[in-house]
Amino acid sequence: MNHEDLRIWSKKAADWIADYHAGLSDRPVRAQTTQGATAAQLPANAPEKPEALEDIFADFEAIVPNAMTHWQHPRFFAYFPSHASPASMLAEQLANAMSAMCMLWQTSPAGTEIEEQMILWLRDALGLADHFTGTIHDSATTCTLSAVLTMRDRAMDWTSITQGLTGGPRLRIYASAQTHSSIDKSVRLAGIGQDNLVKIPTTDDHGIDPEALDAAIKADIAAGYKPAGVILCTGGTSIGAMDPIAAGLAVAKSHDLYTHVDAAWAGTAMICPEFRYLWEGIDAADSLVFNPYKGMGVQFDGAIQFLRDATPQIRSLGLRPDYLETLDMDEVTNFNEWTVPLGRRFRALKIWFTLRAYGLEGLRQMIRNHVAWVKELEAKLATHPDFTITTPATLALFSFQYTPKEGDANALTAKLLAAVNNDGRVYLTQTMHEGQFVIRMAGAAFDSKQSDVMMVYDVVTELCQTL
Ligand SMILES: *Cc1c(COP(=O)(O)O)cnc(C)c1O
């Protein structure tokens, strides 16, 4: 296959893509396949001789789509949405075609400068203060890892960069029990150790208790530990918990600790001013992350990390060997010094396309619709005698349980969820909340309509009668 063939096959792929999206609504959302079924259709070894694109494409059509869970389906309400707007997909094709490494300014000047500008556009769109700069990582996990590495090295007075942690004080990181597992992972990867991630109790509204945070830090100092940082969340993954950001950051600052806020999901909603009360005080954070793929149309991969001051993180992550020096230029941004990997994709292009193709007004309207429709579904489900709202909607996420008069609600809810996902009209997932098995409703997909969201009511109230 050569580049002339690519011209032909790209056009065929474009038609396939349009048909795929037009037909998504008729497919079951979750893959209706069994374990090993796809693998069984693949030969044991790679071919020795070139194969015809006709055959490769035909196999793709026969094997792949039916064994996929369709994340762009308008009734995908599982986990969190992972949007891919048409404008984003188009930009990804172009970035793909250039396949540049955006690690240094000179390896991709437009990549670096569009990335810098998109960070500023997004900072202003989210209503963040002018002191923030930032960069694009692959995922929220990597943003959080970068912040934890910075916390670690700053607390070690930067000796850890050359000498490691051996013989040093025992570091501590603080977060609530509602934070995402990426925080646990980051603390492990940073060599701080899971046991030194202190999970602070939450108040009745599931946000971190600032007094308990302060008390835990003081107790650790008295016991000889070295506190390094505090991680707060705006929108916990399980049920959308919101930490009190201003109070949490104030406690951290009073102990001179580095701070990071995980707003991977809820951050996208902050392009709407009416939701910003949920992270009141955010401008005092040293670092924060949000994922524009979770509800703002810009597809994975890509997570935005805003930094109050990039210098400490560059001190932790930046390395400049001779072969990466930019000769005769001092003042350029080399984003690899801000991030864990060296190689970096041109992720800013899809942000540029998406923000321009829909405008902030268009994206705000989508987010407002999703929140309104999910709240409407919540209200309707609340009127049904056999359903209980277990956690109310924060933004476009709530949880519920099937609670008929007779029977074990946990077991019945699990059975209902299996029936719903085998049915295929909608896709929902579960979490454990205060010992209860609950179903999460997380809306919505880029192409969802109000009727798609409301169909959840029809499907769950219909299928609960079949259990
Ligand atoms: C989704 C999510 C993450 C993980 O995001 P990745 O980009 O997959 O690493 C972390 N924190 C929260 C709150 C999330 O919702």
Side-chain angles (χ1 to χ4, degrees):
M1 184 181 179
N2 60 30
H3 287 283
E4 269 312 307
D5 297 324
L6 178 61
R7 183 193 297 280
I8 295 164
W9 283 96
S10 298
K11 288 177 181 155
K12 292 192 183 175
D15 285 336
W16 184 90
I17 290 165
D19 292 341
Y20 169 75
H21 282 274
L24 265 181
S25 223
D26 301 327
R27 290 177 180 269
V29 191
R30 194 190 62 179
Q32 309 284 318
T33 186
T34 51
Q35 195 182 355
T38 302
Q41 296 176 74
L42 305 177
N45 300 103
E48 290 291 340
K49 299 256 185 308
E51 295 188 34
L53 245 296
E54 281 79 4
D55 295 338
I56 301 172
F57 205 91
D59 283 346
F60 163 74
E61 289 192 274
I63 297 172
V64 178
N66 287 338
M68 292 298 283
T69 293
H70 302 289
W71 283 72
Q72 302 313 317
H73 195 296
R75 293 187 299 278
F76 183 103
F77 305 123
Y79 308 100
F80 276 131
S82 186
H83 283 188
S85 70
S88 170
M89 291 186 210
L90 178 64
E92 277 288 66
Q93 286 181 26
L94 303 175
N96 236 0
M98 292 181 282
S99 276
M101 282 293 182
C102 302
M103 55 205 198
L104 309 175
W105 177 86
Q106 82 176 3
T107 64
S108 190
T112 301
E113 293 183 17
I114 294 176
E115 179 164 342
E116 287 182 297
Q117 195 62 27
M118 290 308 102
I119 292 291
L120 301 185
W121 281 15
L122 289 170
R123 175 191 76 189
D124 295 345
L126 268 58
L128 294 169
D130 288 352
H131 59 242
F132 284 108
T133 57
T135 189
I136 310 175
H137 298 255
D138 56 353
S139 65
T141 302
T142 314
C143 296
T144 296
L145 172 62
S146 303
V148 169
L149 293 170
T150 306
M151 287 175 186
R152 178 193 72 183
D153 295 335
R154 182 178 173 274
M156 296 291 288
D157 210 11
W158 313 101
T159 59
S160 44
I161 294 176
T162 48
Q163 293 159 34
L165 298 175
T166 313
R170 203 158 153 196
L171 301 181
R172 295 287 233 192
I173 306 274
Y174 306 84
S176 93
Q178 287 289 336
T179 47
H180 188 266
S181 59
S182 57
I183 286 129
D184 304 59
K185 187 183 270 191
S186 296
V187 170
R188 289 182 185 194
L189 292 178
I192 294 168
Q194 177 89 53
D195 292 349
N196 294 311
L197 173 60
V198 184
K199 299 273 175 84
I200 305 296
T202 53
T203 51
D204 288 345
D205 58 4
H206 312 300
I208 197 167
D209 178 348
E211 283 170 24
L213 172 65
D214 191 50
I217 295 169
K218 285 180 176 146
D220 276 352
I221 294 171
Y225 292 104
K226 176 106 175 101
V230 173
I231 300 174
L232 301 173
C233 74
T234 297
T237 305
S238 181
I239 51 119
M242 300 282 173
D243 284 335
I245 297 299
L249 293 178
V251 170
K253 294 285 152 193
S254 73
H255 295 282
D256 187 33
L257 301 185
Y258 196 82
T259 54
H260 174 66
V261 175
D262 180 2
W265 158 67
T268 55
M270 303 310 171
I271 64 171
C272 304
E274 69 270 28
F275 299 128
R276 291 183 194 151
Y277 74 95
L278 291 168
W279 70 3
E280 180 101 62
I282 190 70
D283 287 338
D286 293 306
S287 163
L288 74 117
V289 54
F290 94 101
N291 281 343
Y293 71 86
K294 282 182 175 158
M296 226 185 76
V298 186
Q299 79 209 76
F300 192 78
D301 63 349
I304 311 295
Q305 185 190 21
F306 291 107
L307 291 161
R308 192 184 167 75
D309 172 11
T311 323
Q313 183 158 314
I314 293 172
R315 197 163 174 188
S316 271
L317 304 184
L319 262 179
R320 200 179 292 181
D322 294 339
Y323 47 81
L324 293 179
E325 286 286 356
T326 302
L327 303 177
D328 309 322
M329 281 183 88
D330 301 329
E331 293 291 317
V332 286
T333 300
N334 292 321
F335 273 127
N336 79 87
E337 296 175 0
W338 303 44
T339 58
V340 175
L342 172 59
R344 305 176 74 254
R345 299 181 64 245
F346 189 176
R347 300 187 186 97
L349 197 65
K350 59 194 171 191
I351 300 176
W352 195 43
F353 272 51
T354 302
L355 291 177
R356 293 183 62 188
Y358 308 101
L360 286 172
E361 221 14 271
L363 296 171
R364 280 189 205 108
Q365 191 55 54
M366 173 179 64
I367 289 170
R368 287 174 179 144
N369 284 344
H370 291 176
V371 172
W373 298 340
V374 167
K375 283 196 198 292
E376 192 182 329
L377 171 67
E378 177 198 4
K380 190 166 179 189
L381 210 50
T383 63
H384 194 291
D386 292 343
F387 285 87
T388 303
I389 305 300
T390 40
T391 53
T394 2
L395 303 172
L397 171 72
F398 73 90
S399 71
F400 64 95
Q401 235 189 359
Y402 176 43
T403 49
K405 274 166 212 72
E406 308 278 304
D408 171 15
N410 281 336
L412 285 168
T413 304
K415 257 180 127 172
L416 174 62
L417 181 65
V420 166
N421 292 333
N422 287 331
D423 173 83
R425 279 174 286 172
V426 304
Y427 183 23
L428 300 165
T429 47
Q430 79 290 334
T431 191
M432 291 302 290
H433 180 64
E434 294 176 345
Q436 298 293 303
F437 184 101
V438 301
I439 299 178
R440 292 167 77 257
M441 166 68 202
F446 189 79
D447 293 318
S448 298
K449 296 189 291 295
Q450 183 201 31
S451 55
D452 293 310
V453 172
M454 296 311 285
M455 196 189 283
V456 170
Y457 180 88
D458 301 337
V459 172
V460 298
T461 54
E462 176 194 317
L463 293 177
C464 71
Q465 293 166 36
T466 66
L467 300 182

